[in-house]
Amino acid sequence: MNYRNINDLNEIILKRLYILPRDFDLIVGIPRSGMFPANLLALYLNRPVTDLDSFRNGHIYKSGERGQFFDMHRFKKILVVDDSVATGSALNKCKELLKELQGDFDISYCVVYAAPEKTNLVDYYFEAVPLPRYFQWNIMNHTGIRKACFDIDGVLCVDPTPEENDDGERYRQFLLNAKPLFIPGAPIGTLVTSRLEKYRPETEAWLAKHHVKYNKLVMLDLPDMAARRRANCHASFKAKEFASSMNYMLFVESNLSQAIEINHLTKKPVLCTENFRMIYDSKSLLYNLKSGQSLPRVRNFLLDIRNYIRRMTGKE
């Protein structure tokens, strides 16, 4: 599992900041994932920063103000920054947008993370990270979460307070009105929650209210919270569903101790939203082969065969 969080991004920039010349006049971020590293680089290099569209329109950001027009004769060397390059299609679109300005500026391109086979598309990169990969800042919009299991409390919404967690009317009101936390922009494979099955209507109503898209909802089938406390099976219950299919590639869990146990039981990665660490201390060779963590060329070869068969059979 190739995963990087915000702390990783900051650390690799600081570690390899020396790769960048110090004569850039302006840092330009590609929205939206590129704006975070662009701002960090502008901070560390002590240079002004702007976004791609503002740059094309002659604007830069100015501290304490919304922005200002800039003198094209003042800024010549431009560093365009994105968080990553995978296929290169997004970067090529950016280059196409800036083609008309090539005569006025000396433009270089930089990413923090580059797929090893695409490093030649940029002038500077901080780390080569193979596909498939996940980043903290875009994982909730990653199409890969179609093959993920998500906890609900502490992930999609806040946890109930002890007062709300009464297995009665106050708990029911919590389920209907819980404040949202991390609402994905992409459909989720399966929601796996220790909420009791009897609260399915309230849970489904909240999910619909907050436009959470998912394929399946798995809940704990016990009569009441007292039985759930006696069973004490939060992590094992979630791990059972996660382990039930090799199609599940990731579990997103709010509680660190449960995340560690789910990983231990399934040998598959668990993203913990308590600290946005990827818990993957216990590993499975089969999972690593399927995900491309081990022998990525074998995986790519098999994917090529699969795609060829789909094209030949008209199923692509």
Side-chain angles (χ1 to χ4, degrees):
M1 172 63 65
N2 296 310
Y3 170 77
R4 299 292 185 272
N5 61 24
I6 290 172
N7 188 56
D8 295 324
L9 179 141
N10 185 50
E11 286 187 353
I12 194 64
I13 287 177
L14 289 173
K15 183 178 180 180
R16 289 178 47 80
L17 191 62
Y18 65 85
I19 69 172
L20 296 178
R22 292 304 189 267
D23 58 351
F24 288 112
D25 300 311
L26 179 65
I27 310 298
V28 176
I30 301 177
R32 73 178 172 180
S33 294
M35 291 307 300
F36 183 60
N39 275 282
L40 285 177
L41 287 172
L43 174 68
Y44 297 145
L45 298 177
N46 195 24
R47 293 293 185 269
V49 63
T50 191
D51 64 85
L52 184 64
D53 288 336
S54 295
F55 172 62
R56 294 174 64 210
N57 292 321
H59 286 81
I60 63 169
Y61 300 162
K62 187 177 180 182
S63 179
E65 300 181 19
R66 294 184 63 184
Q68 65 177 21
F69 287 101
F70 65 85
D71 182 358
M72 285 194 176
H73 298 291
R74 179 183 169 195
F75 298 119
K76 281 299 180 183
K77 292 204 66 174
I78 311 299
L79 183 65
V80 178
V81 178
D82 206 353
D83 66 328
S84 64
V85 58
T87 64
S89 59
L91 186 65
N92 287 333
K93 289 179 182 177
C94 172
K95 290 180 178 180
E96 188 65 27
L97 287 173
L98 296 179
K99 184 183 293 185
E100 61 191 40
L101 300 178
Q102 287 285 0
D104 298 317
F105 300 98
D106 179 4
I107 301 176
S108 299
Y109 293 87
C110 170
V111 297
V112 182
Y113 301 111
E117 65 276 13
K118 299 295 182 179
T119 57
N120 62 311
L121 296 181
V122 294
D123 300 292
Y124 307 97
Y125 68 94
F126 286 84
E127 184 182 7
V129 179
L131 302 175
R133 62 194 182 192
Y134 294 91
F135 301 133
Q136 177 185 348
W137 49 94
N138 64 14
I139 194 168
M140 293 299 173
N141 293 306
H142 198 293
T143 56
I145 66 174
R146 293 176 183 270
K147 296 183 178 181
C149 295
F150 270 61
D151 186 17
I152 295 180
D153 297 322
V155 178
L156 301 184
C157 70
V158 298
D159 286 309
T161 65
E163 293 75 23
E164 290 170 324
N165 204 9
D166 67 349
D167 203 11
E169 183 57 27
R170 280 181 292 186
Y171 183 62
R172 182 176 175 276
Q173 288 302 314
F174 162 78
L175 295 177
L176 291 171
N177 301 295
K179 293 185 181 299
L181 281 178
F182 308 109
I183 303 297
I188 299 168
T190 299
L191 298 173
V192 188
T193 176
S194 294
R195 292 181 179 185
L196 301 177
E197 180 65 41
K198 66 180 180 179
Y199 293 115
R200 179 175 289 270
E202 292 84 355
T203 299
E204 290 179 340
W206 186 92
L207 293 168
K209 176 182 177 181
H210 292 281
H211 310 291
V212 178
K213 299 175 183 177
Y214 59 96
N215 181 52
K216 185 169 67 168
L217 172 61
V218 178
M219 305 183 75
L220 191 58
D221 194 9
L222 290 174
D224 52 37
M225 288 190 179
R228 187 177 69 179
R229 281 194 294 270
R230 288 193 298 270
N232 192 26
C233 61
H234 298 285
S236 59
F237 168 70
K238 296 170 184 176
K240 182 179 179 181
E241 176 64 27
F242 189 31
S244 68
S245 172
M246 277 302 296
N247 286 329
Y248 291 144
M249 304 298 288
L250 177 69
F251 199 106
V252 181
E253 165 62 42
S254 64
N255 181 274
L256 181 57
S257 62
Q258 288 189 43
I260 292 171
E261 186 175 352
I262 293 168
N263 167 240
H264 176 72
L265 292 171
T266 64
K267 305 296 188 290
K268 295 199 284 186
V270 181
L271 177 63
C272 180
T273 57
E274 186 175 309
N275 52 17
F276 272 94
R277 279 180 52 209
M278 188 68 73
I279 309 301
Y280 196 26
D281 297 324
S282 299
K283 299 187 178 184
S284 159
L285 177 60
L286 181 60
Y287 174 89
N288 283 346
L289 287 171
K290 182 176 175 62
S291 68
Q293 186 80 11
S294 300
L295 302 176
R297 291 184 179 179
V298 173
R299 175 182 181 272
N300 291 338
F301 174 71
L302 294 175
L303 287 175
D304 288 341
I305 293 176
R306 183 199 68 182
N307 293 336
Y308 174 78
I309 293 173
R310 286 180 175 178
R311 286 195 299 271
M312 292 299 99
T313 57
K315 294 182 179 180
E316 190 171 57

